[in-house]
Amino acid sequence: EATTGYTVSIEVPSLHSAVFYDRQYTFDSLGSFTGHSYIKTSNDDKRIRHSHIQMKLHLPQPLQVYAVKLDDHELPWLHTDGWTLTDLEGVSYHGVRSTRHTDWSGELNEDFYGPGQVWEKTYPAGTVELRGNDGGDGSYLVFVANPAHPPTPPTPSSPVCCMAIEASCLACQAMVTVEQFCAGSPSTQGCP
């Protein structure tokens, strides 16, 4: 329930599906949230102040709620209301933002966002109130998951390393920087 009265729904997004009702943004990556429920809102919901309620979630059972936000946009209530920063991978999306200013100028730019930071909090069944975004650039996105089946952090992939006996290949195999490798083996070919 958006306190602004704008449309809101619960969806399981897919790649290239719409991020908001009022922007032409589509998902490029779902990060750790593939297969999880997304609370789709309007981007203009972000104009609600931090001190006011932006949306209410009516939870039928205890659920984990995730706020995915841009790195450079501060949401002070995450810190004061008991949310925890996770190592989950956020989502990435892009699109064209059409506003009165871009309509007037005729100049449309494609914007790219994400993956940002992911914050989580487990709530009991009942009504949850999420505070505002305080306007500006970047809305936070909300996902929910059953605590028994939470999103998982990305697994680090092993790099594909060359096999030569030189500093860059050996550093890759040891999963350290060339500088770190050369500090321990300065006589290796390729070390300064």
Side-chain angles (χ1 to χ4, degrees):
E1 172 186 342
T3 58
T4 57
Y6 289 126
T7 303
V8 64
S9 65
I10 302 170
E11 300 181 0
V12 176
S14 60
L15 291 179
H16 313 295
S17 63
V19 178
F20 299 108
Y21 283 104
D22 60 344
R23 293 283 192 274
Q24 296 175 352
Y25 294 151
T26 57
F27 285 108
D28 297 320
S29 166
L30 295 172
S32 295
F33 295 98
T34 300
H36 290 281
S37 297
Y38 171 58
I39 310 301
K40 184 176 176 182
T41 63
S42 294
N43 185 266
D44 281 344
D45 280 327
K46 71 182 180 184
R47 305 220 185 283
I48 304 297
R49 292 184 297 222
H50 293 309
S51 58
H52 289 68
I53 303 305
Q54 179 173 318
M55 75 176 80
K56 294 179 183 181
L57 305 177
H58 303 285
L59 306 181
Q61 64 187 46
L63 291 176
Q64 285 179 288
V65 179
Y66 298 89
V68 181
K69 72 171 204 69
L70 300 178
D71 290 328
D72 57 351
H73 189 76
E74 195 57 41
L75 296 173
W77 52 267
L78 291 172
H79 302 280
T80 60
D81 293 359
W83 289 72
T84 305
L85 181 61
T86 72
D87 58 353
L88 296 173
E89 183 180 346
V91 298
S92 298
Y93 57 97
H94 81 283
V96 175
R97 180 175 26 132
S98 180
T99 65
R100 291 177 300 193
H101 304 300
T102 58
D103 289 345
W104 176 79
S105 70
E107 187 176 317
L108 290 176
N109 295 317
E110 197 165 28
D111 299 319
F112 292 86
Y113 299 100
Q117 296 177 334
V118 178
W119 293 72
E120 74 176 348
K121 185 172 180 180
T122 302
Y123 284 97
T127 300
V128 172
E129 297 178 333
L130 299 180
R131 293 206 254 160
N133 193 62
D134 210 28
D137 290 334
S139 295
Y140 67 90
L141 307 181
V142 177
F143 287 83
V144 295
N146 185 316
H149 304 288
T152 55
T155 54
S157 58
S158 299
V160 177
C161 302
C162 52
M163 299 303 290
I165 301 176
E166 63 179 24
S168 61
C169 297
L170 295 171
C172 177
Q173 292 168 12
M175 298 178 71
V176 296
T177 66
V178 173
E179 291 79 19
Q180 290 170 326
F181 180 81
C182 288
S185 302
S187 61
T188 304
Q189 181 181 355
C191 288

